[in-house]
């Protein structure tokens, strides 16, 4: 049996993949699912939802609570709405960017969609991710979480905030000052090197979360430059413990 397992693993690796038992240290989704269950999270605010990949992953790893997804791009929002259909606990907010003002804003559209951002993209990003360069732009409504989140938070005991806004994370937090004390945990994508013009890097963002009473719970791999193996972005999970 051991010989068969070794052969299977060698075959999978030869194809460019690997095989692991589902454990928190080898599966970011499993780790997040366990963490949400540990803190009895009953609502996830999914900011920067794109086409619903994150929320669908939550469901795949056992989270059955409420999800509210926010996405500003019209094409991604349409796919997101379609993916959430039939899931009574997954609500999609009307097409909106989340930031530190209420009004309208211009979004840069990336060729791969999920690298889209309000901020100009730097060469460090586009060079490391083929197909991520901007191909257009689109106007979208923008709102602060302090304005649009309170109705969703009503009745939630342990809400969780996920932020994946490609360098715009500080703006999201600026617009969430009123609700942040109610948030039990956060998952945020942080950049280790500048990828978007004017974005704060990981150290500044971590200090800001810690000042808000959130403790670093886990680090998860993110965007890695395939040319040299350098980690460019990572996800951090923080909780009030």
């Amino acid at each position: 049996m051991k010989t068969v397992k070794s052969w299977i693993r060698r075959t999978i690796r030869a194809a460019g993949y690997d095989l692991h038992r589902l454990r928190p240290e080898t599966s970011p989704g499993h780790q997040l699912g366990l963490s949400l269950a540990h803190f009895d999270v009953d609502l996830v605010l999914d900011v920067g939802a794109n086409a619903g990949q994150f929320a669908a992953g939550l469901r795949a790893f056992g989270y059955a609570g409420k999800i509210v997804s926010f996405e500003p791009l019209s094409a991604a929002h349409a796919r997101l709405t379609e993916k959430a259909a039939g899931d009574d606990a997954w609500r999609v907010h009307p097409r909106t960017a989340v930031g530190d003002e209420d009004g309208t804003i211009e979004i840069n559209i990336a060729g791969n969609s999920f690298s889209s951002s309000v901020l100009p993209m730097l060469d460090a990003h586009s060079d490391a991710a083929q197909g991520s360069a901007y191909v257009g732009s689109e106007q979208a409504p923008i709102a602060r979480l302090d304005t649009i989140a309170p109705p969703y938070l009503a009745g939630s005991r342990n809400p969780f905030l996920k932020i994946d806004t490609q360098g715009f994370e500080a703006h999201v937090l600026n617009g969430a000052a009123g609700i942040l004390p109610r948030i039990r945990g956060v998952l945020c994508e942080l950049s280790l090197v500048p990828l978007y013009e004017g974005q704060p890097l990981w150290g500044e963002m971590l200090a800001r979360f810690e000042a808000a009473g959130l403790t670093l719970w886990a680090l998860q791999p993110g965007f890695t430059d395939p040319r040299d193996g350098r980690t460019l972005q990572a996800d951090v999970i923080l909780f009030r413990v």
Side-chain angles (χ1 to χ4, degrees), residues 40-217:
D40 196 24
V41 168
D42 55 5
L43 169 68
V44 174
L45 300 177
D46 175 20
V47 175
N50 196 250
Q53 301 94 320
F54 176 79
L58 289 181
R59 292 291 189 242
F61 283 98
Y63 175 72
K66 295 180 180 179
I67 302 172
V68 182
S69 293
F70 303 85
E71 171 57 37
L73 296 180
S74 55
H77 189 272
R79 296 194 300 272
L80 169 66
T81 302
E82 182 178 356
K83 186 171 289 187
D87 187 334
D88 292 338
W90 182 359
R91 180 167 179 180
V92 177
H93 188 79
R95 187 173 74 91
T96 307
V98 175
D100 53 3
E101 60 180 316
D102 299 319
T104 59
I105 202 164
E106 192 85 6
I107 309 286
N108 298 299
I109 303 173
N112 62 9
S113 182
F114 53 81
S115 295
S116 303
S117 177
V118 172
L119 305 177
M121 182 184 293
L122 299 177
D123 290 343
H125 189 298
S126 56
D127 290 348
Q130 187 175 8
S132 66
Y134 292 150
V135 295
S137 63
E138 179 180 30
Q139 277 208 335
I142 185 170
R144 298 173 297 128
L145 282 176
D146 283 348
T147 301
I148 58 178
Y152 298 123
L153 291 168
S156 173
R157 301 183 314 279
N158 294 303
F160 185 86
L161 173 62
K162 168 260 188 178
I163 310 173
D164 183 358
T165 52
Q166 302 301 311
F168 207 59
E169 295 80 15
H171 296 269
V172 174
L173 290 177
N174 289 342
I179 69 161
L180 192 59
R182 293 191 55 189
I183 299 298
R184 184 62 188 271
V186 175
L187 183 151
C188 187
E189 183 181 66
L190 300 183
S191 292
L192 280 64
V193 299
L195 300 175
Y196 294 89
E197 188 175 305
Q199 70 171 129
L201 297 182
W202 66 276
E204 180 181 342
M205 293 296 294
L206 273 181
R208 181 168 182 172
F209 283 125
E210 290 172 356
L214 291 155
T215 298
L216 182 62
W217 185 259

